[in-house]
């Protein structure tokens, strides 16, 4: 608080990350861009982590909250899976793009695919051909609705928050829409992939107002991350 007042050049840049895969896979990119996070989220209880730069901090939020933080300026930028980003955008009625958020970079990390999977003994193609209503359990209700509407498949969508693999095993649903990387979780639960919906990777998202107002600090960080992605490839 300076007596002279004036421009607040010291407001730190805030990067939103979620614990786990996104944090772990973003760290090497940050490192390559010359940025290091000074605390380990797995051992620290803090939700705001300092970095090697006084003007940059990391906030730890739930994966599905990252777009919300960046959209409302609770964070200037963030890293989020395309699955979460598109589901967030669709919930706002913005198919294909979320709510004015800038998406300057495909970080090419946390890669997987979104697929329809069904119990091995369920004849999914036959059910589709016959036009039966198929019960589909998923966390991605908006994206699933779009996918099946595009294909003209009749479904009853059941929203879940936890392990979707369990739904077909208990008779809650015949199939699921979920993320798949190696396929070993599906296999372990006697499920087979029956449709590929889209490829998924993590994206950098940026608050448009931040990009205007904090351009001088934010732009170089985005450019450094872009360079780090190129190198990683
Ligand atoms: P929460 O645990 O808070 O419900 P979440 O399950 O979405 O959130 P993560 O499991 O860390 O959190 O997943 C974060 C992101 O990583 C997902 O949005 C997706 O983009 C990606 N992801 C999820 N599962 C896989 C996977 N098996 N392989 C590669 N990337 C994945
Ligand atoms: Mg998870």
């Amino acid at each position: 608080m300076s007596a002279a007042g004036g421009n607040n050049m010291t407001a730190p840049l805030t990067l939103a990350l979620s614990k786990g895969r996104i944090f772990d896979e973003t760290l090497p990119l940050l490192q390559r861009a010359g940025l290091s996070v000074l605390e380990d989220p797995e051992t620290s209880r803090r939700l705001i982590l300092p970095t090697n730069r006084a003007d940059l901090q990391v906030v730890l939020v739930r994966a599905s909250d990252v777009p919300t933080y960046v959209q409302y300026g609770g964070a200037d930028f963030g890293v989020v899976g395309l699955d979460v980003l598109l589901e967030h955008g669709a919930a706002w009625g913005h198919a294909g793009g979320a709510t004015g958020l800038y998406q300057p970079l495909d970080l090419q990390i946390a890669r997987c695919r979104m697929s329809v999977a069904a119990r091995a003994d369920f004849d999914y193609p036959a059910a589709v051909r016959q036009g039966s209503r198929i019960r589909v359990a998923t966390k991605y209700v908006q994206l699933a609705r779009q996918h099946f509407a595009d294909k003209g498949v009749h479904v009853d969508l059941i929203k879940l928050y936890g392990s979707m693999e369990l739904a077909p095993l208990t008779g809650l649903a015949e199939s699921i829409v979920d993320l798949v990387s190696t396929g070993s979780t599906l296999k372990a639960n006697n499920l087979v992939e029956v449709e590929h919906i889209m490829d998924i990777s993590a994206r950098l998202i940026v608050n448009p107002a931040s990009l205007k107002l904090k351009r001088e600090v934010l732009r170089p960080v985005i450019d450094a991350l872009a360079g780090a992605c190129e190198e990683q490839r």
Side-chain angles (χ1 to χ4, degrees):
M1 261 202 279
S2 97
N7 54 358
N8 185 8
M9 294 300 282
T10 55
L13 276 182
T14 298
L15 172 64
L17 297 176
S18 55
K19 271 205 227 183
R21 202 186 314 265
I22 294 287
F23 186 90
D24 297 346
E25 296 193 24
T26 301
L27 218 52
L29 289 177
L30 291 173
Q31 205 68 253
R32 227 172 259 135
L35 306 167
S36 46
V37 182
L38 300 181
E39 271 182 60
D40 177 359
E42 298 305 328
T43 53
S44 173
R45 303 181 75 111
R46 297 170 72 175
L47 296 174
I48 301 183
L49 308 179
T51 71
N52 62 327
R53 273 175 55 165
D55 62 350
L56 176 69
Q57 63 185 8
V58 168
V59 291
L60 295 174
V61 304
R62 184 98 188 239
S64 46
D65 288 338
V66 169
T68 307
Y69 268 82
V70 178
Q71 184 180 342
Y72 290 103
D76 299 298
F77 59 148
V79 177
V80 63
L82 183 63
D83 51 326
V84 171
L85 183 61
L86 292 180
E87 185 72 15
H88 174 84
W92 278 75
H94 296 241
T99 56
L101 291 167
Y102 285 140
Q103 301 168 47
L105 281 182
D106 179 348
L107 297 172
Q108 314 252 30
I109 56 170
R111 296 174 78 143
C112 54
R113 54 193 186 271
M114 185 175 286
S115 297
V116 183
R119 227 177 33 220
D121 61 4
F122 178 71
D123 193 344
Y124 178 84
V128 169
R129 245 181 288 119
Q130 289 156 16
S132 340
R133 288 195 87 82
I134 303 169
R135 278 174 307 162
V136 181
T138 188
K139 165 172 153 183
Y140 306 101
V141 172
Q142 308 286 346
L143 294 179
R145 182 175 295 119
Q146 277 171 18
H147 171 75
F148 293 114
D150 289 348
K151 296 211 126 194
V153 175
H154 299 287
V155 293
D156 287 321
L157 293 169
I158 301 171
K159 166 87 184 183
L160 285 181
Y161 295 88
S163 319
M164 285 156 260
E165 305 85 18
L166 188 58
L169 305 181
T170 55
L172 177 66
E174 284 99 26
S175 63
I176 61 175
V177 167
D178 199 2
L179 302 180
V180 183
S181 48
T182 61
S184 57
T185 305
L186 291 182
K187 205 165 178 197
N189 290 293
N190 200 28
L191 301 171
V192 291
E193 229 173 323
V194 291
E195 252 166 34
H196 172 273
I197 300 179
M198 65 177 88
D199 290 323
I200 300 288
S201 57
R203 308 302 164 102
L204 191 73
I205 54 172
V206 180
N207 177 284
S210 298
L211 193 54
K212 270 204 198 114
L213 301 171
K214 300 183 179 179
R215 189 174 195 97
E216 278 172 37
V217 270
L218 188 47
R219 192 74 242 181
V221 173
I222 296 170
D223 292 343
L225 284 171
C229 286
E230 277 299 317
E231 280 177 42
Q232 182 143 313
R233 227 177 284 171

